[in-house]
Every structure is written in structure tokens, then in C-alpha cells.
Amino acid sequence: MASDRPLLVPSPRSPPAPSAPAPAPTTTSTSNTQQHHNYNLPSKPRPNFPDLSSSTNPLGGGGPTKMLMMDGNGDRNSSSGRTFLSAQSKASGRYSIDEVGTAFISATSSMDRFSRSGSKTRPPLPMPTRYGSRGNNSDGFTSSLKEISDEDARLVYVNDPDKTNHKFDIAGNSIQTAKYSVFTFLPRNLFEQFHRVAYIYFLIIAILNQLPQLAVFGRGASILPLAIVLLVTAVKDAYEDWRRHRSDRIENNRVASVLVNGSFQSKRWKEILVGEIVKFSANDTLPCDLVLLSTSDPTGVAYVQTINLDGESNLKTRYAKQETLSRMPEKEEIRWMIKCERPNRNIYGFQGYMELDGKRVSLGPSNIILRGCELKNTAWAVGVAVYAGRETKVMLNSSGSPSKRSRLETRMNREIILLSLFLIALCTVVSTCAGVWLVRHQDELDYLPYYRKSDFSNAAEENYNYNGLGLEIVFTFLMSVIVFQILIPISLYISMELVRLGQAYFMIRDRDLYDEASNSRFQCRALNINEDLGQIKYIFSDKTGTLTENKMEFQCASIHGVDFSGAKAHSDTEQKGYCTRVDGCVLRPKMQVKADPELQRLLRTGRETEEGKHAHNFFLALATCNTVVPLAVETADPFLRLVDYQGESPDEQALVYAASTYGYMLVERTSGHIIVDIQGERQRFDVLGLHEFDSERKRMSVIVGCPDKTVKIFVKGADTSMFSVIEKSPNSFVARSTDSHLHTYSSLGLRTLVIGMRELNGLDFEQWQSMYEKASTAVMGRASLLRTVAAKVEVGLHLLGASGIEDKLQQGVPEAIESLRQAGIKVWVLTGDKQETAISIGYSCKLLTGEMTQIVINSNSKESCRKSLEDAESMSEKLVAMSAGAPNSEVNSGSARIPLALIIDGTSLVYILETELEEELFQVATRCSVVLCCRVAPLQKAGIVALMKNRTADMTLAIGDGANDVSMIQMADVGIGISGQEGRQAVMASDFAMGQFRFLVPLLLVHGHWNYQRMGYMILYNFYRNAVFVVLLFWYVLYTSFTLTTAITEWSSVLYSVIYTSLPTIIIGILDKDLSRRTLLKYPQLYGSGHRQECYNLKLFWLTMIDTVWQSMVIFFIPFFAYRHSTVDTSGIGDLWTLAVVILVNMHLAMDVVRWTWIAHASIWGSIVATCICIIIIDAISLLPGYWAIFEIAKTGPFWLCIVAILMTALVPRFIVKVFNQYIRPCDVQIAREAEKFGNTGDFTELELEMNPISNPHGR
């Protein structure tokens, strides 16, 4: 059968013969391969085709189960992105096994004849988003029926870029991801930075200080803190933008081959215009969005890799239209016109047509290749640019995930407002007292040095330095704001960013978050919500690929009512994998599947029996009804090749591997046929048509010409969609048996599919062929027409059987869920699987337990949903009441004696979400320990997350691995993407990314706890650190006639937050650990401190402020009374106060450090040393006030006594409170820390019984 260039998949454009179907010609020929171009089509009666043009749902009725929302991808939601040929990736890549021996099988690729004409259309997402208004089997294809209006259309004149770009305002191909230019950097960066209100506050303060009447500090010193913060941020932004500019230059200056003056010439990407014809070769990256005109493949097939676009590494198939395939633009004049939709973000859809030679040729998603894709397995291709530069789909989708803000930072705004009110109060007190003082001393103002109203030095008397009582009070108020400005800590924002950066570094480097299987580390894609990981209350998880491996393994089959599941009872040593020999080389499937010995014997020896024929057709359907393509993999043995089946759906791969194990090995897929090795005999099947999976039919089918010259259609899909098209009368017993087996498989957690077939007679085939040709060439509404054609031919099927596929749990999932539950976190699973499968997986992963009372809601109308919710609420209230009234029950413990589990399907959610029933669902769900949502669509997943997020103050986390999880991930407070088998869409939309679900345990219980504890303490410490300095200045103002002069030098005031005290809090915020990793993992209940907000709350804030007032009084009054009768000047006292406050706040921090490291020692004690050095340097400069003051006061005896007395007196109350809390009213963390410190393991084993309750089923 060797050929110089056998094709892989049939061309969708070759016109069929007017009579019997003729497969695409091929040169393949071997002794074991039969070629047939004419088929015996019996004229038996044709089954009645349903009228699918009406509104009747073709999926309704006849289902074997009570579940209404079923899908067609082996228990997967139809819109979940993991279907046999999902809406995201229906342009599947096709390959074949490399040549073995004498040109055994080619590695060329092509397209199925009847598979590519528009069934891939994915419409744009509906706007506005409605989570519950659309069923989970709706894809919204109705938009494809609309004609493109002139307002919504783009006209592209092929090979005439001047006309195209002159007539329309079309972007060039130059891209710019950089935000700034040399001229716009400064104004735009400053504009963005001043979005923070605190920055505006400090800018106003700096401006006020420039006014002569309000000048308190030097003009330069007042601007310095804000300038440093702005400069640091600007440098960071400039570096990041420089990298973007460099990337843009590299991208824009890449070279492509463009048709210019009749020949292809090199041209830089940024110079390419819409309408120009571009030629690209294998492994080239496409410079813009191109409509394919021709390729090196005779059938016009091109293979592209979209890993740069959506992260998926599998190849996808695109093709050129037959009308343009043979045209050579470099040798003939081309004047065609393309009318297509305007640029949009839908990377999976394209709509338009081409006018050439007086006729219209329809264009669809399979005819366009997007910018960033790479050409693979194709020597060259030619296309015309339709979208360029910023209008390409990849650029329109480069906005990234929505910005999220830390919950802790949001709560911090409350304290910022309180501090602002406190600042106003201080300034009001000072200005009011100043006004009273002025009134009392108004007769003395002419003689006081600072308030002399008259100047007699000149001939004319002049008044100055006094503006009247009213203005003096106002100026005093404004000057007070300037002096007390650091009460609002500007350095806090920079400190938080640096701490988060350090925390992210250690999370990325954590070995416990490293996935060896995928060789991937933890990714921190959002640096502003690290601390939210320590406060998560609800986790919303996908199932397939998140809880499970998404690596399918065939387990059992029901064939014509007979259950074959004996493979489970046999060990691997008893299994004999199938292999075949071709030209001296042995071909063997890469993956071995456990086989049922009885079924193997039936297929080998009982082919002529009735049971054997059914089994033969069953496995023939598995081998042919798919989009899987075989590849030959080299081994160390030169005479052995492993057959690796490549496909976009793991389910399909598992089924084809199973067929190979039982002796039905798919060995070749070409442009018009597939070859299957059946028990050593290679047979050729001509592919006459392929109807891909779609979300409405929930089925896929293939029409093949068999070696016996018959034409058959093989169909597989979900049970709800298949049983409605099975012929009832001869299959009633088989249907009942198969239905029973399906329930058994589902209860075991297996993913199920139903297989059927029918032999087509001449009338059936001719009618189908005629309708298919019309539908596939339609300019508008192609997708809907093709679904109608498929649904009409997929009727009257003979039931062959069903399959059961296992999707194994990921390692450590049960243990992880149990740890999360002990931590007080509720885990909800949102999946597209069948209810039975989801429940079984729920038990396997310990999400569901035997102690739980299950509340199941499966309704198909709004009224029935209302009744179900009312019953569920009544039941939950009774069970909770029973639990509360039970003896020894802990009503407030949150762990009800009778835990509840809510199980609800997607059909019910259609009638609940975004209606008044949402509140009732919320009431029921909050009383349940577990919620399991089955058969849900992607938007419904987001709706469930929004349900809890918008009604509670609890933090939500969503985790998933597929494109169908993106909406849920972006809706939650924290979104985590799993680097799994389904591309990287979830990762690209997430805040954090990792390789396994079990990594949630160390991420939340360890890093989340640490991050929350550190950040909460750091915020309170920054408030305290600045407030104690400000209140110290306030006390001094009260004793200086409210003149707002300061004893502390202006440079010390500026450097206080920048150098003197900033570094220690950052180091401790990154490195300190209140508990060890081992303790946090061993006792998940410790995570409850984040739920109870133990590290940051309003009570702690007020206690901190009270402590601040006390410490500031101690710092001020001890030196004040010690030196009130001495000759030491105010500059000397100011230096003493500066040293005292810096040493005090660092000692205060040292008291709270749990894990001392050399870096912590260096930062705390080094800051004190740095302060001393700075004060000495400042006082050694004669041009600055306070020259030599520190040296004078340090000579006095009270100086050192004052520092010691200040430290002891100021810290005693805090020390007493800490001792009281730790020994009289300890929290869980303190108990665990003490047990760690003293190694009291005997008492530590009882820690779980002593811990505070952390979950409450009644709470919200």
C-alpha cells in the first residue's frame, strides 16, 4: 500500500460523484488492503427522519435515566471544552504513522472530506452575561444564520492593499504592547501612580509646605518622601516597559515573504498591510490573521500549532478552498474580494465569504490562521491578510485577567479613614488651642518675637507675620497637617509590594509546590493578593483534570446487553497486548489496556456467531468513529514501533487504545480513508462523511464505506442523546440491559458512552449527501444546517453497546480534601459529569461520606425548583435542629452532628440562577458541608461562585484546568489554574498556577497562613510606628505655645519612615514564621485564625492605638522631666527623642518576632545603628540646625538613663498583655507555638480537642 504521498484526511471541497459516493483517490495498495469505489446500497425502507427544523429538541425523550441535562462526551459537559471535538479545538490535527519499512504509512496530513465545512463555528460569548438564562447545552449558534451587514463587515481586496487600506480605516501590522514612550512616560506614569489617594494626600501636603505662611520643613525635605516613593515605582515601571519595547521591536522587525510586484519578497512584519498575500513555510510563525489560499498539500490542508495563542500544543487543521487552491498569485493577476466580519475577540469563530470569478465561496473558522500560530507538518502555505496588528484576534485578547484587590488591603482603607479622622482631631485641637492662646495673649503680640505685628525699622510702620485671628487658626490647622502628615504611612504601600514580592519568591521556590510530572513550578501571576490565601472559606473546584488526572483508561464494555468487565479480575501478567507485523517491523500500541479474556476469545474465534458480530461492530465503531490519528514512535529495538494515538480528547484516545488491545488497531488515516488492522488483516474504510460532536446533538458520527461494499454510519455519544435515536422495537431488551450497565458503571465513577450503528441504503445516502453538500457550501447558517443534516441521518440506530472509562484521581486528592475540611474550608465541586459519576468520584475523594445526608435537586421547571428548594430548606432546618438538640453537641462548633450534602444539576440551575430562587438556594447551600453541582455549563460555574461571593464576606477560591473554568476562575476572589491536559487557558486567566490539586494544602495552610499573619501584623505595625512618632510631636506642640516648631530635625522626620524603621518590617514580613510547616500541615485547624481575622481586625487596631498613645507619652515626658531645668537645647532633646523612638519601635518589633534569623538580627539592630550614624552625620553638618547637639547631650548622665527608662516603661504594658493572653486566654496559634517551643508532644496530641471552632454551617 506504499505511496509517494498518501493523503491523511479527505478534502472537504472535492465535489462528489453525482451517483454513488466515491472516496478520494489514493495510490495506497497492499495485499491486505481492499479498495472499493462503489458500494452496495440496499433499497430497504428508510426510517422516518424527524423534522429538526422545528423547535422540537432532538435530544429530548427516551433517555434511560431521570437526568435531563446529559452530554455527549463521556459524562462531560458539552460546553466544558473537553468534548470529542470541542468548540475550542474542533480543527483537530491529523497525522499518520511514519513510514515503516517500504513507505508503510505516510506522515502527511490532510482533512476529512465531509468533516470541515463549518461545524466548528464558536460564536462570541453572549452579552450581557447571564449565568442561568442559557441551558448548559446551548452554544448560541443562531448568530450564524445572520447576514453580515455592511456596517459590521470588512472588505478586503486580495492583492490590492492600497485599495483596501485607502477605502477603510485599517490598522497596520505594527504592534505595541509597551505602555509608554519617551515623551509620555513621565506624565502618564505619574497619572497612574496618583490613582492612589494617599499619594494625592502627600502631594497636597508637599505643596502646602511650599507656601511661606505654612512652611514647617525645608521645601526640599517635604517633597523627598513622596519623591522617593514615586521614583522607585517609576524605575520599576520604566524597566518593565523597556522590556516590552524590546520585545515589540523584535516582533515588528521579523521578516515574512510577501507578494510584491509579482514575486514574493522579504518584508518586515510591521510593514505588512491588510490585503497583501503572504507565503510562509514550515515552523514559521504567522505575522497576522490570514485567510488560507493554498498549501503544499494537494488537498489544501495546513497544520498549525496554537500554543502561542491558547497554550494548546496539539496540532489543528486548516484548509484552503478548492477554488483558490490551484491559483498561483505570483504568475497570474488576482483581483478577489473578501467580505468578513469586523475584528473581534472570538478566536474560535470567523464568518465571511470570498467573491472570485463571479461566484461566492463561503469562509469559516477552518479557513483562517491567526497571528502567533506556527505552521507544522506542511512545507508551505499562502494566505491573504485580513486582520493586522492590534486588530488581530490574539492582540484583542491580550488584555489579561481582571485586576483583583486584596481583601486585607480593602479593610485597611477603614483604618486609613480612622487615622485621617484622628489626624483631623489632632490638627483641630492644635489650631483651636492656638486660637485660644492668641486671644489670651493678644495684647502681647506686638512685643513677642514670633508674633510682632508692627515693624518700625522703616519710616512707615508695617504689619507682618500676623494675618488676623481667623487666618492664623486656618494656617495653624494646615501647618499641623504638614507636621503630622506621616500619620498616614506612605511607605506602607511600598513595603506591602516588597513583602508580597518576597513572599511570592518563596512560594515559587517551595519544593512542596513543584510538580515533577510536568516539571512545573508554582506560578505567582498576581502579586497583590498573597495574603488572601490565608482567609479562604469556599473552594470551587472542577472535577476532570483538577481532582482527576484527565488520563482516561478503558475499563469495561457492555456489548449488545452483555457486560464484559472481567479485565479487573486479571493481573497485568495475564494480559497479552495486541501487536501486528508490517514489512518486518512490529507495531504495538504505546499504551496497554487491561483486556477481558472472554471478550478476546470471542473476537478471535467467534466472529461468525451473533455475539461475535456485535462485538466486531462495537470495536470497529471505536476504531473508526473518532478524530484520533496514529503516530509511529521509534524504540531502541529497530524492529519495533510503538503506535501513539494523538487526539484532542483523552476519551477518544482511551477508546482507540482499547480497540487496539482487542485487535482493532487503527494504523493509518489519509485524505479519504482509514486503515484498521483487524486481527492481523488490514482493511480499508473509505471515510464518506464525518459529523463532529456539537453541544446540541451531544453525538458524533462517521459514515464509512466498508470492505464488503456496504455503507455504514457509526455513532457514539451520551446516553441521553443516544437512546433517543436508537430503534426501539428490536433493541428493547438490549437497551434495558445496557441502561442497567450504564448505571453500574456510573456508580463506580466511570465515564460512559453509548455506541450505535446503522447500514445506509441508497435513498438514505443520496438524501444525506445532497443535504450535506448544500449545508457545507452555505454562506450563512452553515453550523445550524450541518447539525440538522447530522441529526436527520443519526436515527434508527442499532444499539451496539456502551463503554466505561476511568478517569483516575490525582495523587493525594482525598487527603487534601480532608485536610481542607478540617481547616474549616468548604469544598464545592462544579462539574459537567453525570450525577452518578460525580457522586461516585465524591465518595472516592472523601468529599462525600456515609454520614452525610444528601439533598438532591433535579428539576425541569421553575416551580419544581421552588418546591425542591423549599423541601430542602425545611429538611436542612430540621436536621440542624436535631444536631443542636443532640446531647454533647457543640452548637457553635460548626460541625453539625448530621452533615448535609447538596447535589444539584445544571438544568435546575437554569431556573434558579439570576432569579428570586437564588436566595433560597443560598440558604440551603450555606447549611451544607458539601455542594456538588453536576451537568453545569461554564457560565453556570461563574454564577455559582457569584452566588456565594456576593452574599457573604467569606473569601472564595476557584480552581480548574480547562477553558471552561476561566469564567469561574476570574469570578472568584482567588483563581488558581492547573497546568493539566487541556491547554493553558485556565493558567493564563488565573492569579496562581500549579500542577496538582493537592498543592492547595501547603499553599493555603502553610503559605496562606504565613502570608496573612505577616501582612496583618505588618500593616498594624506600620500604623503604630508612624503614629507613635506623630503623637510625640503632638505632645511637644502643646508645650511650645502651639507654634508647630519641632525639636526633631526635618531630615530625621523625613528619614524616619524611609531609613530608620522601614527595613526591619519588610524583612520580618517576608521571613517570620509564627508556626512551622510541619505543625500547620499536621493541624489544619490552625488555618482558622484567618477566618476569625485574628491577625488584623478593628479591635487590634484600637489596642494598637492605645498602646501608641502610652508609648508616645513615655517617650516625651521622661526626657521632658529629666531635662526641663537643664541648659540642654531643643535640638539635643530632639535627638534623644529620635533615638528613643527608633530603638523603641524596633524593640517593639523584636518582641513579636517568632523565628529569629541572622537577617532579622541584622535588619533590626542594624537599623538602630544606622539611625545613630545618620543623627551623628546630620548634627556634624554646620549648615543644618542642631549642629553638634547629639554630642552635647550624649555627655550628660540622664541621656542613657532616659533611653533605658523609656524602653522599660513603654514596653511593660505590652509585655503584661502578651503574657496575659498567652497564659490566661491563649489562641490556637499560641498553644501550638508553645508546644513547638517546649516540645510538649504529649499535650500537643490533644491540641485538636482544644482548638476553637472554625466552621459554622449556619454562618455566612
Side-chain angles (χ1 to χ4, degrees):
M1 65 154 286
S3 66
D4 295 332
R5 187 172 177 76
L7 303 178
L8 290 185
V9 195
S11 167
R13 302 159 313 283
S14 303
S19 57
T26 178
T27 57
T28 305
S29 62
T30 67
S31 57
N32 293 330
T33 305
Q34 306 176 42
Q35 299 189 39
H36 299 282
H37 300 278
N38 297 293
Y39 301 100
N40 298 326
L41 301 176
S43 299
K44 57 187 177 183
R46 175 172 57 89
N48 294 326
F49 291 150
D51 181 10
L52 298 180
S53 61
S54 67
S55 59
T56 303
N57 184 356
L59 306 180
T65 66
K66 295 182 180 179
M67 294 296 293
L68 299 179
M69 300 295 288
M70 300 295 181
D71 64 35
N73 187 22
D75 306 344
R76 295 303 306 275
N77 187 296
S78 58
S79 56
S80 66
R82 304 183 183 91
T83 57
F84 293 115
L85 229 53
S86 65
Q88 288 90 337
S89 52
K90 290 188 177 180
S92 61
R94 285 181 169 73
Y95 324 79
S96 76
I97 301 177
D98 297 328
E99 286 194 354
V100 179
T102 58
F104 164 48
I105 301 171
S106 169
T108 318
S109 306
S110 183
M111 288 216 44
D112 291 350
R113 172 183 174 92
F114 296 99
S115 66
R116 292 290 176 248
S117 299
S119 61
K120 296 179 249 183
T121 302
R122 179 187 176 96
L125 292 176
M127 294 295 291
T129 301
R130 290 186 56 83
Y131 301 116
S133 60
R134 296 177 58 207
N136 63 346
N137 60 351
S138 173
D139 266 358
F141 284 96
T142 55
S143 60
S144 64
L145 292 172
K146 299 177 181 178
E147 178 74 39
I148 305 177
S149 64
D150 292 337
E151 294 79 10
D152 298 329
R154 160 169 290 187
L155 300 182
V156 178
Y157 297 93
V158 181
N159 202 25
D160 193 351
D162 294 335
K163 183 177 180 181
T164 301
N165 292 271
H166 174 74
K167 190 172 182 179
F168 303 95
D169 183 18
I170 296 178
N173 200 40
S174 176
I175 64 167
Q176 179 178 343
T177 59
K179 296 170 60 176
Y180 312 108
S181 67
V182 176
F183 301 103
T184 63
F185 174 78
L186 187 60
R188 185 172 178 182
N189 185 261
L190 290 176
F191 176 77
E192 291 181 355
Q193 290 198 60
F194 279 105
H195 274 71
R196 280 181 167 168
V197 179
Y199 288 8
I200 299 177
Y201 162 78
F202 282 100
L203 177 63
I204 295 174
I205 296 297
I207 294 174
L208 291 176
N209 195 74
Q210 308 306 307
L211 302 178
Q213 297 89 340
L214 305 178
V216 177
F217 303 115
R219 295 182 178 180
S222 64
I223 298 177
L224 188 61
L226 179 61
I228 292 176
V229 172
L230 294 175
L231 179 63
V232 170
T233 306
V235 169
K236 176 182 72 71
D237 293 343
Y239 174 71
E240 293 177 351
D241 204 59
W242 173 79
R243 294 180 61 184
R244 287 191 287 263
H245 272 288
R246 183 179 60 178
S247 175
D248 290 344
R249 283 195 301 271
I250 295 174
E251 187 80 359
N252 289 327
N253 290 313
R254 297 173 71 173
V255 176
S257 183
V258 181
L259 185 65
V260 179
N261 298 325
S263 63
F264 286 101
Q265 302 176 11
S266 295
K267 196 173 186 179
R268 288 187 295 182
W269 279 21
K270 65 181 181 180
E271 299 172 352
I272 296 176
L273 300 174
V274 172
E276 289 188 316
I277 296 177
V278 182
K279 184 176 183 179
F280 42 100
S281 304
N283 300 319
D284 283 353
T285 301
L286 271 68
C288 53
D289 294 352
L290 300 163
V291 167
L292 201 57
L293 299 179
S294 60
T295 73
S296 58
D297 190 279
T299 60
V301 175
Y303 295 90
V304 295
Q305 190 176 62
T306 61
I307 192 169
N308 295 328
L309 189 64
D310 56 14
E312 296 185 359
S313 59
N314 55 289
L315 298 188
K316 297 178 175 62
T317 310
R318 298 292 184 266
Y319 66 90
K321 304 300 290 186
Q322 182 187 17
E323 291 78 5
T324 65
L325 185 58
S326 59
R327 308 294 285 270
M328 302 181 68
E330 65 270 32
K331 295 183 179 181
E332 58 180 300
E333 183 178 359
I334 291 179
R335 287 294 180 262
W336 305 332
M337 191 270 288
I338 294 176
K339 184 177 183 181
C340 59
E341 57 193 2
R342 287 185 177 273
N344 57 73
R345 295 185 177 187
N346 184 11
I347 63 175
Y348 305 111
F350 177 72
Q351 185 180 0
Y353 60 83
M354 182 188 301
E355 292 184 354
L356 71 163
D357 301 333
K359 64 177 180 179
R360 286 186 178 184
V361 178
S362 61
L363 299 173
S366 57
N367 305 122
I368 188 173
I369 310 180
L370 305 184
R371 179 187 179 118
C373 297
E374 293 184 12
L375 187 67
K376 297 289 185 181
N377 288 13
T378 308
W380 57 265
V382 175
V384 57
V386 290
Y387 306 125
R390 65 177 183 272
E391 294 180 342
T392 56
K393 294 180 181 290
V394 64
M395 294 302 297
L396 292 174
N397 281 276
S398 62
S399 59
S401 58
S403 176
K404 298 179 181 179
R405 192 178 183 187
S406 163
R407 181 69 60 87
L408 203 61
E409 188 173 349
T410 302
R411 291 172 180 161
M412 185 182 75
N413 288 337
R414 176 187 60 193
E415 279 68 47
I416 293 290
I417 294 174
L418 293 176
L419 286 176
S420 301
L421 296 176
F422 183 52
L423 174 63
I424 294 174
L426 293 179
C427 297
T428 302
V429 169
V430 172
S431 59
T432 302
C433 292
V436 172
W437 189 92
L438 288 173
V439 171
R440 293 177 59 184
H441 298 81
Q442 59 182 343
D443 297 334
E444 307 171 22
L445 296 181
D446 290 339
Y447 310 103
L448 292 177
Y450 293 103
Y451 285 97
R452 188 168 52 207
K453 294 192 299 181
S454 301
D455 181 8
F456 303 99
S457 59
N458 299 322
E461 179 181 343
E462 296 180 356
N463 292 333
Y464 77 104
N465 207 28
Y466 186 76
N467 301 282
L469 181 62
L471 287 178
E472 286 295 328
I473 293 176
V474 172
F475 288 158
T476 303
F477 182 89
L478 296 177
M479 291 170 66
S480 302
V481 174
I482 296 173
V483 173
F484 303 148
Q485 60 178 298
I486 64 170
L487 186 64
I488 310 297
I490 187 174
S491 61
L492 176 58
Y493 294 99
I494 294 295
S495 299
M496 291 176 68
E497 295 299 326
L498 294 175
V499 168
R500 287 165 175 162
L501 186 63
Q503 292 172 351
Y505 171 80
F506 286 104
M507 287 192 291
I508 293 170
R509 303 294 297 179
D510 190 348
R511 293 183 179 179
D512 288 349
L513 300 179
Y514 171 72
D515 183 28
E516 295 183 358
S518 61
N519 191 29
S520 60
R521 291 188 178 276
F522 179 82
Q523 298 179 44
C524 188
R525 300 172 57 85
L527 290 177
N528 55 337
I529 57 173
N530 293 352
E531 57 270 22
D532 285 350
L533 294 172
Q535 306 170 79
I536 300 300
K537 184 66 176 180
Y538 290 93
I539 293 179
F540 302 90
S541 174
D542 179 37
K543 185 185 77 67
T544 303
T546 304
L547 299 178
T548 63
E549 294 181 350
N550 200 19
K551 295 179 180 178
M552 312 303 173
E553 183 176 339
F554 183 88
Q555 291 294 335
C556 51
S558 171
I559 301 177
H560 202 66
V562 180
D563 181 21
F564 292 95
S565 55
K568 296 181 180 180
H570 296 77
S571 64
D572 293 338
T573 57
E574 297 175 348
Q575 306 301 319
K576 295 182 180 180
Y578 180 80
C579 62
T580 185
R581 184 176 295 273
V582 178
D583 297 330
C585 292
V586 176
L587 287 179
R588 179 179 298 165
K590 183 179 180 180
M591 187 178 75
Q592 297 295 322
V593 177
K594 293 182 180 180
D596 186 301
E598 181 182 351
L599 184 55
Q600 284 183 317
R601 287 192 296 270
L602 176 64
L603 292 170
R604 284 197 300 265
T605 62
R607 290 272 298 277
E608 301 303 323
T609 65
E610 191 67 23
E611 289 183 353
K613 292 179 180 179
H614 292 309
H616 167 77
N617 288 327
F618 178 85
F619 283 103
L620 185 59
L622 297 187
T624 58
C625 188
N626 55 71
T627 58
V628 171
V629 290
L631 289 174
V633 180
E634 299 286 341
T635 64
D637 185 352
F639 299 101
L640 175 64
R641 302 287 190 275
L642 297 180
V643 181
D644 183 15
Y645 291 115
Q646 295 289 320
E648 298 179 14
S649 167
D651 299 79
E652 285 196 328
Q653 291 175 288
L655 293 176
V656 177
Y657 275 117
S660 297
T661 300
Y662 283 98
Y664 290 73
M665 182 185 291
L666 175 64
V667 295
E668 181 178 353
R669 185 181 294 275
T670 70
S671 62
H673 67 270
I674 57 177
I675 293 178
V676 181
D677 186 291
I678 301 177
Q679 302 293 339
E681 178 183 0
R682 300 181 64 218
Q683 297 186 14
R684 168 192 171 116
F685 297 85
D686 295 313
V687 179
L688 307 176
L690 177 66
H691 289 284
E692 298 173 344
F693 178 89
D694 67 61
S695 59
E696 291 193 11
R697 290 166 41 245
K698 301 183 187 293
R699 298 185 297 270
M700 76 165 295
S701 60
V702 61
I703 300 176
V704 296
C706 301
D708 59 1
K709 297 187 179 182
T710 60
V711 175
K712 296 180 180 178
I713 177 173
F714 293 103
V715 189
K716 66 180 179 184
D719 49 10
T720 49
S721 66
M722 288 296 294
F723 278 99
S724 62
V725 294
I726 294 294
E727 193 174 2
K728 300 296 187 297
S729 54
N731 293 287
S732 57
F733 172 77
V734 177
R736 287 195 299 270
S737 301
T738 304
D739 184 24
S740 175
H741 297 155
L742 285 170
H743 280 284
T744 302
Y745 297 163
S746 297
S747 64
L748 296 174
L750 302 182
R751 300 156 59 82
T752 58
L753 281 175
V754 176
I755 316 297
M757 64 156 285
R758 177 166 71 94
E759 184 175 338
L760 299 181
N761 58 40
L763 185 59
D764 291 340
F765 185 83
E766 290 175 4
Q767 183 179 12
W768 167 82
Q769 187 181 37
S770 175
M771 291 189 300
Y772 188 89
E773 287 300 321
K774 293 179 181 179
S776 61
T777 56
V779 176
M780 297 300 165
R782 238 174 306 156
S784 178
L785 294 174
L786 285 169
R787 287 197 306 275
T788 302
V789 173
K792 286 186 176 181
V793 75
E794 295 167 349
V795 293
L797 302 178
H798 173 69
L799 179 60
L800 294 178
S803 63
I805 303 173
E806 181 182 11
D807 186 7
K808 295 183 178 180
L809 285 176
Q810 291 183 9
Q811 177 186 354
V813 167
E815 294 80 6
I817 290 180
E818 182 61 27
S819 295
L820 295 173
R821 179 182 285 122
Q822 292 180 19
I825 300 174
K826 294 185 178 182
V827 181
W828 293 19
V829 174
L830 315 178
T831 178
D833 281 336
K834 292 175 60 177
Q835 181 172 301
E836 296 86 350
T837 302
I839 291 175
S840 177
I841 293 295
Y843 280 110
S844 300
C845 65
K846 296 185 180 179
L847 184 70
L848 300 175
T849 64
E851 301 175 352
M852 290 183 177
T853 299
Q854 296 183 7
I855 301 175
V856 182
I857 299 179
N858 295 332
S859 303
N860 56 6
S861 69
K862 187 172 182 178
E863 289 305 316
S864 60
C865 285
R866 189 190 307 276
K867 181 66 167 59
S868 298
L869 288 172
E870 291 173 354
D871 294 343
E873 188 170 1
S874 175
M875 179 188 299
S876 63
E877 289 175 353
K878 290 180 181 178
L879 292 175
V880 170
M882 292 171 57
S883 302
N888 302 323
S889 65
E890 300 177 8
V891 177
N892 297 324
S893 68
S895 54
R897 298 294 296 273
I898 306 177
L900 303 177
L902 174 64
I903 301 170
I904 187 170
D905 66 348
T907 308
S908 303
L909 292 175
V910 169
Y911 302 104
I912 294 175
L913 295 180
E914 296 190 345
T915 68
E916 69 277 7
L917 299 181
E918 269 194 349
E919 183 61 31
E920 295 184 34
L921 175 62
F922 171 75
Q923 296 293 341
V924 174
T926 52
R927 292 189 176 96
C928 297
S929 302
V930 173
V931 176
L932 188 60
C933 301
C934 315
R935 297 296 197 189
V936 289
L939 289 179
Q940 288 178 322
K941 291 184 178 183
I944 290 294
V945 176
L947 176 72
M948 303 306 296
K949 180 180 176 181
N950 297 334
R951 284 176 168 79
T952 70
D954 297 322
M955 297 290 293
T956 59
L957 180 149
I959 181 170
D961 71 316
N964 61 320
D965 302 316
V966 169
S967 299
M968 172 179 70
I969 287 172
Q970 294 184 342
M971 176 59 66
D973 294 304
V974 178
I976 297 183
I978 296 290
S979 304
Q981 305 291 318
E982 301 187 21
R984 294 177 54 83
Q985 296 97 322
V987 171
M988 292 187 290
S990 65
D991 305 307
F992 305 95
M994 56 190 186
Q996 298 283 329
F997 179 86
R998 59 187 169 91
F999 294 162
L1000 273 181
V1001 175
L1003 178 64
L1004 299 183
L1005 272 57
V1006 179
H1007 290 286
H1009 175 87
W1010 285 343
N1011 294 345
Y1012 169 71
Q1013 180 268 332
R1014 295 163 175 167
M1015 190 63 70
Y1017 178 82
M1018 192 195 75
I1019 293 173
L1020 289 174
Y1021 177 80
N1022 273 269
F1023 289 157
Y1024 150 78
R1025 182 192 67 186
N1026 285 28
V1028 73
F1029 188 82
V1030 167
V1031 180
L1032 169 63
L1033 299 178
F1034 173 76
W1035 299 128
Y1036 182 78
V1037 168
L1038 297 182
Y1039 282 86
T1040 56
S1041 299
F1042 319 105
T1043 56
L1044 292 171
T1045 57
T1046 60
I1048 299 174
T1049 63
E1050 61 183 32
W1051 284 105
S1052 291
S1053 298
V1054 169
L1055 297 177
Y1056 176 76
S1057 297
V1058 178
I1059 294 179
Y1060 295 172
T1061 58
S1062 61
L1063 184 60
T1065 180
I1066 295 173
I1067 297 299
I1068 300 306
I1070 296 175
L1071 298 179
D1072 195 33
K1073 301 175 182 178
D1074 60 342
L1075 290 170
S1076 67
R1077 178 189 299 265
R1078 176 179 176 274
T1079 299
L1080 292 172
L1081 291 177
K1082 187 176 182 180
Y1083 301 99
Q1085 297 92 330
L1086 295 168
Y1087 185 80
S1089 62
H1091 294 159
R1092 296 186 293 271
Q1093 302 178 21
E1094 290 182 356
C1095 297
Y1096 186 86
N1097 53 58
L1098 192 58
K1099 178 183 177 181
L1100 284 176
F1101 172 78
W1102 285 119
L1103 289 175
T1104 301
M1105 290 299 103
I1106 293 173
D1107 191 29
T1108 295
V1109 173
W1110 164 254
Q1111 293 188 21
S1112 66
M1113 292 176 64
V1114 170
I1115 296 172
F1116 175 80
F1117 284 105
I1118 287 181
F1120 174 77
F1121 288 116
Y1123 287 99
R1124 63 184 303 181
H1125 300 299
S1126 69
T1127 59
V1128 174
D1129 62 3
T1130 56
S1131 297
I1133 294 292
D1135 289 339
L1136 172 57
W1137 281 331
T1138 302
L1139 280 175
V1141 71
V1142 170
I1143 296 174
L1144 177 62
V1145 297
N1146 279 283
M1147 290 296 295
H1148 178 110
L1149 178 64
M1151 287 180 61
D1152 295 328
V1153 175
V1154 180
R1155 305 290 166 126
W1156 281 96
T1157 62
W1158 70 267
I1159 301 179
H1161 280 291
S1163 64
I1164 291 178
W1165 313 126
S1167 293
I1168 296 175
V1169 173
T1171 302
C1172 295
I1173 295 174
C1174 288
I1175 291 176
I1176 291 173
I1177 294 175
I1178 292 172
D1179 283 0
I1181 300 175
S1182 59
L1183 298 178
L1184 298 178
Y1187 175 68
W1188 218 252
I1190 184 63
F1191 302 101
E1192 295 295 335
I1193 195 171
K1195 296 178 184 178
T1196 63
F1199 177 82
W1200 303 104
L1201 291 177
C1202 283
I1203 290 180
V1204 174
I1206 288 172
L1207 294 179
M1208 294 181 63
T1209 307
L1211 294 177
V1212 163
R1214 180 173 181 81
F1215 179 78
I1216 293 173
V1217 171
K1218 285 176 68 71
V1219 171
F1220 176 82
N1221 284 334
Q1222 187 154 345
Y1223 288 95
I1224 307 301
R1225 297 179 57 188
C1227 64
D1228 296 342
V1229 173
Q1230 291 168 337
I1231 296 172
R1233 188 187 306 157
E1234 184 177 348
E1236 275 188 349
K1237 181 177 181 180
F1238 298 103
N1240 193 351
T1241 56
D1243 295 338
F1244 201 26
T1245 55
E1246 303 297 327
L1247 184 62
E1248 294 182 67
L1249 300 177
E1250 301 176 11
M1251 287 186 177
N1252 292 322
I1254 56 179
S1255 62
N1256 188 350
H1258 311 287
R1260 300 183 186 180

